[in-house]
Amino acid sequence: MTALRRRTLLAVVLAGGTVTACTEQDDSATDGTGGASDGGGEAVDPGAVVAESSFFLRHTEVSVRLHPIVRSGEHLVLTVDLTAEGDAAEFEDQYVVGGTLTGEATSAWSDGWGSASGGDTRDFLGVRLVDLAGDQVASTAVDAEGETVGVRADNGETADSGTQALAGTVQIAFADPGTDALAVYLPKLPLVIDVPVIEADVPAVEGAEEQLDLSAIEEAPLEPMLLMSQDLAEPLRETRELGATTVAISSDVLFDSSSADHDRKAKSALDEAAQRIESHEPGPVTVIGHTDSVDSDASNLTLSKERAAAVATALEKRLDTSDYELSTDGKGEAEPIASNDTEGGKALNRRVEIVLETPLREEEVTREMPEFEGRAGTAAEGVRFDGSEQWVLRPFDLQLGAARMLEDHLVVTLEVTPRDEDRSGVTGIGQFDDGIGMPTEPDGVSTYTLLASSGAVGVLVGSVLTYPAFHRAGGPAETTRPLTDLSLNTAADGGVPRILELVFPRDIAGVEAGAEVALQ
């Protein structure tokens, strides 16, 4: 049966350029092969192939076959087969695929700068199980040493000349979100949806020295998606997690130094904050003041409470308090979101937060988009970078492959193709954004993470920029990662396309079927 589709228009701004494309929203769920998902029908063989795709290691195309996700006790097990075929001399020239297919997949599917971005260097960190309906992300389970609980084995045919066939299997353990089907995020591939979860014995991995040992699991991270956004026209930023929304306003805009008296610049920020509150259903609103570490603990606590009260008083004049009951609190310097060792960190810590626990209203967003200067192109043309831009290492083309709504999440597929002839196996493409424009980084995220993942590329609706979904990844380093490719900037061969998949949080205001938004 053919799935009914509604076609909508999406305009996308990408790191100095604008791309326009049609997006699709499916009215029926499909799996990674385009066929119907299991849906509780006939039992699925754990050895069956339920989805197929491919990606490139250097300029070798690697075929990927996914098997059903197997439920074993409290955990899930994902099994993925990899195959590649080509000339033996070519494989030798591409030393990164010289007979160790799963080893190179480990590099492509891990955190590109893990050693510098929080210390999480575990294998396959970029592979995740995604519960789109439940807004949850499962990262790889870890053992007592903080390493991924999984196995991999290569069992292809080696040859000195002629055709060589490489093959291998990767098997990884995860937490169980408790659903009958999940999306699988494999870096450098489009998101694979509706992969069935079945009750079965964990399949053996051919050629593995040891089979998967689920008893070795010390932690299986399963965490909610985190929304983070900022207003490019006003000094406001927003986070949302587990149904709670926090709107933060810089105290430097609201108040004079060491004062609870409103600055003359505060009016527009307070007006926008009131509009943010009214974009939610009626309910209680908590206003919380925070300071940096300058001055004494007692003075900072008093100042934070006074500032929260001043903001609440200003909001009372802008809101119907019978719908939005305001309360206040102050935390002083006790809950910093950045280091107090730098002036920039202190500025981020000086803030007033507005916390709401009611859902967004379903209404049209009419904010105007800020003026933008940069390249523009259609989806077919894309955006061309010449290599001279900041953080860009070489010329490349950037095109929008797809943009679609899945369970109220925007999922965007970008295609990046280097335009030079460099096939040295050394140079990546650089990055679209190093995160410098972000108002603050979530706990456990470093600039290195953003350099490697394009986690700072956001969807722009009006003047509000929302970043891809973030989630905590657990492990000893307790890192936080964006739901993007964590190793985008690994070596890329000239002329070979690379897929970048961006998964955004649910219910971004203004992002829906028929809406026009932008990526920046």
Side-chain angles (χ1 to χ4, degrees), residues 376-393:
T378 66
E381 296 168 346
V383 177
R384 175 158 289 190
F385 293 82
D386 61 19
S388 65
E389 300 84 357
Q390 186 177 22
W391 306 113
V392 173
L393 301 179

Side-chain angles (χ1 to χ4, degrees), residues 222-284:
L222 178 63
E223 296 290 343
M225 294 185 189
L226 169 67
L227 177 147
M228 187 175 74
S229 69
Q230 66 170 315
D231 194 317
L232 302 183
E234 297 291 345
L236 277 71
R237 57 186 184 273
E238 183 174 315
T239 59
R240 186 167 71 233
E241 184 177 11
L242 295 176
T245 299
T246 301
V247 179
I249 315 173
S250 169
S251 291
D252 292 356
V253 173
L254 294 174
F255 304 102
D256 293 324
S257 178
S258 301
S259 169
D261 295 329
H262 287 311
D263 187 280
R264 62 179 179 276
K265 302 188 297 291
K267 182 181 182 301
S268 62
L270 291 166
D271 289 344
E272 177 62 25
Q275 291 182 30
R276 295 288 186 93
I277 294 171
E278 290 178 327
S279 71
H280 288 253
E281 297 290 345

